Amino acid sequence: MGKEPEIAHIDLIIGDKEGPVATAFASGLTQLSAGHTPLLGVIRPNLPPKPSTLIVPKVTVKNMDQAAQIFGPAQMAVSKAVADAVAEGIIPRDMAEELLIIVSVFIHPQAKDYDAIYRYNYGATKLALERAMAGFPDVDLMLYEKDRSTHPIMGFRVTRLWDPPYLQVAFDLVDLAEVRRVLTALPDSDHILIEVGTPLVKMLGISVVKEIRAIRPGAFVILDLKTLDTGNLEVRLAADSAADAVVISGLAPKKTLELSIREARKTGIYSIIDMLNVSDPLAVLQGLEVLPDVVELHRAIDMEKSAHAWSNIGEIQALAKDGRRLLVAVAGGIRVDTEGAALAAGANILVVGRAITRSKDIRDMAEQFLTGLKQTEIDQYRVMTDF
């Protein structure tokens, strides 16, 4: 809460005197560490709030000026917030002697303004108490917000695929300058995904992901390795490169597919199985013990005169289990005039390459595809204030 350098960031636990919070409370008072000495909350000398409150500095206190900030405005802010929470009924009055509170307080080493330190920490503590007593957030809200929200100190957004359909722009270019030109020309949209195509990664290596992130921070970047062997190793390389997703070939052995998917889950990135040249994608998926996040029905560039393989998208999506969604991407000669048919067939992701990257007007062409998605830019225009 608040602005740097006086920004407040508190962690709070509350519990009764017969439980684990009491043990932590007593341990905090008796097991001291240099620079992080806990102190009892007081509104003024000899006037502690009820419930009794222990304040723990997060940042190492290195001098008397920093100690004064903890023992002055921060201590009073936390204590007054606790007292006001009782006065306002946030904490029931009849529980004030039964509960204990521990508040971990962050004071930035460059903080100077006592008034701001007090106000920000008061507000943060009061809000935390209100939410702790109400059990906020509930599970439903947490699940709703987990992929829509971003941490204010992160500096960038981690995009997740919670709102399909999406437009995936495939970069099969092998010229970094051209890649930069196309990336710069693409419109800003929550529904654009960036694919580092296999030719590009072969030419420039996985470090190209960092180049893309420098131009489009927060973009969802897919590394198309078309892994056929050593699945866990290649997926780990993709994750280490800061990619959001990695592509594994559906022609790989079952063990490789499963190792790749499990490694992707372990590292927190998406696994995509590319069914290029796979005669029966459904059978491959049915034989797996663990399913990918995305299945790509891919018609090869050399086979673009053949029919699209969109007929069993619904059957593939129906394989999803364990509360996970199974998205289907379609690739191979997707154009504006075939976009509607792909979406009508159930596609969640449209993979478009040359139709955008080789277009005379890249922005206009991408916007035509985005218009066809009929998606509202929820995150892009969302004001990330408090609940």
Side-chain angles (χ1 to χ4, degrees):
M1 179 174 291
K3 298 179 180 180
E4 289 187 341
E6 286 76 26
I7 189 170
H9 177 198
I10 67 109
D11 296 311
L12 180 146
I13 58 175
I14 183 169
D16 62 62
K17 291 181 177 179
E18 303 300 325
V21 175
T23 302
F25 195 100
S27 296
L29 280 175
T30 57
Q31 298 178 16
L32 308 181
S33 61
H36 297 274
T37 301
L39 59 148
L40 285 170
V42 293
I43 300 167
R44 63 166 174 76
N46 301 315
L47 182 62
K50 296 296 180 76
S52 296
T53 302
L54 188 68
I55 301 168
V56 183
K58 287 179 187 285
V59 178
T60 303
V61 177
K62 296 181 177 180
N63 54 54
M64 290 306 296
D65 287 341
Q66 292 174 348
Q69 292 171 346
I70 287 289
F71 280 83
Q75 184 182 40
M76 183 180 178
V78 170
S79 303
K80 186 67 163 54
V82 171
D84 285 349
V86 175
E88 296 171 21
I90 295 169
I91 299 174
R93 185 186 183 95
D94 59 2
M95 295 180 66
E97 293 286 2
E98 306 302 322
L99 298 174
L100 293 170
I101 298 171
I102 302 175
V103 182
S104 185
V105 174
F106 171 86
I107 302 292
H108 196 291
Q110 296 176 8
K112 300 291 183 186
D113 188 335
Y114 273 35
D115 184 72
I117 292 171
Y118 170 81
R119 294 179 188 279
Y120 294 159
N121 279 280
Y122 173 90
T125 303
K126 185 86 167 295
L127 181 62
L129 285 167
E130 185 174 356
R131 290 179 170 176
M133 297 304 292
F136 176 92
D138 60 28
V139 174
D140 289 338
L141 180 60
M142 181 272 293
L143 292 175
Y144 179 83
E145 287 288 336
K146 70 182 181 67
D147 293 330
R148 294 165 168 80
S149 301
T150 187
H151 197 288
I153 303 178
M154 276 277 286
F156 65 94
R157 179 182 56 183
V158 178
T159 302
R160 308 300 285 172
L161 304 183
W162 61 271
D163 189 34
Y166 291 93
L167 171 65
Q168 180 173 320
V169 181
F171 283 76
D172 290 325
L173 311 169
V174 292
D175 183 328
L176 186 56
E178 184 68 1
V179 170
R180 289 181 178 135
R181 184 186 74 82
V182 175
L183 281 171
T184 304
L186 287 174
D188 290 330
S189 172
D190 298 324
H191 289 85
I192 288 182
L193 316 179
I194 305 298
E195 175 192 325
V196 180
T198 309
L200 180 58
V201 74
K202 284 182 177 180
M203 182 71 179
L204 300 176
I206 61 175
S207 62
V208 72
V209 174
K210 297 287 188 182
E211 297 278 354
I212 291 171
R213 292 217 177 278
I215 300 168
R216 294 183 76 90
F220 189 96
V221 181
I222 299 163
L223 197 57
D224 187 0
L225 298 180
K226 287 192 175 65
T227 296
L228 283 163
D229 196 8
T230 62
N232 52 346
L233 173 60
E234 292 201 6
V235 171
R236 175 67 64 170
L237 289 173
D240 290 347
S241 77
D244 295 289
V246 61
V247 179
I248 309 120
S249 172
L251 297 171
K254 176 177 181 289
K255 184 175 181 180
T256 298
L257 293 174
E258 291 174 347
L259 284 172
S260 299
I261 294 166
R262 288 194 169 99
E263 189 67 23
R265 291 189 182 185
K266 186 191 305 181
T267 56
I269 68 175
Y270 283 72
S271 56
I272 302 173
I273 293 185
D274 187 342
M275 293 299 183
L276 180 67
N277 282 345
V278 175
S279 59
D280 192 346
L282 194 60
V284 170
L285 295 168
Q286 289 170 334
L288 296 176
E289 295 179 11
V290 59
L291 293 172
D293 298 294
V294 181
V295 175
E296 184 172 322
L297 302 179
H298 191 168
R299 186 179 64 178
I301 291 175
D302 296 337
M303 299 294 291
E304 286 186 1
K305 291 185 179 179
S306 62
H308 288 287
W310 296 343
S311 59
N312 61 350
I313 289 178
E315 294 176 83
I316 291 173
Q317 292 165 333
L319 295 175
K321 57 185 177 181
D322 300 328
R324 301 178 71 95
R325 174 183 273 176
L326 182 56
L327 302 179
V328 175
V330 294
I334 306 296
R335 303 182 304 274
V336 170
D337 61 324
T338 59
E339 178 181 20
L343 294 172
N348 305 115
I349 301 171
L350 304 181
V351 183
V352 181
R354 291 163 295 156
I356 291 176
T357 61
R358 297 298 189 188
S359 172
K360 292 180 179 179
D361 190 333
I362 292 165
R363 177 175 293 272
D364 178 71
M365 184 56 66
E367 286 177 344
Q368 288 186 51
F369 277 102
L370 289 172
T371 298
L373 298 183
K374 297 181 172 62
Q375 287 291 75
T376 303
E377 294 301 303
I378 296 174
D379 275 0
Q380 186 172 335
Y381 300 116
R382 190 181 190 202
V383 178
M384 299 303 292
T385 57
D386 203 6
F387 293 92

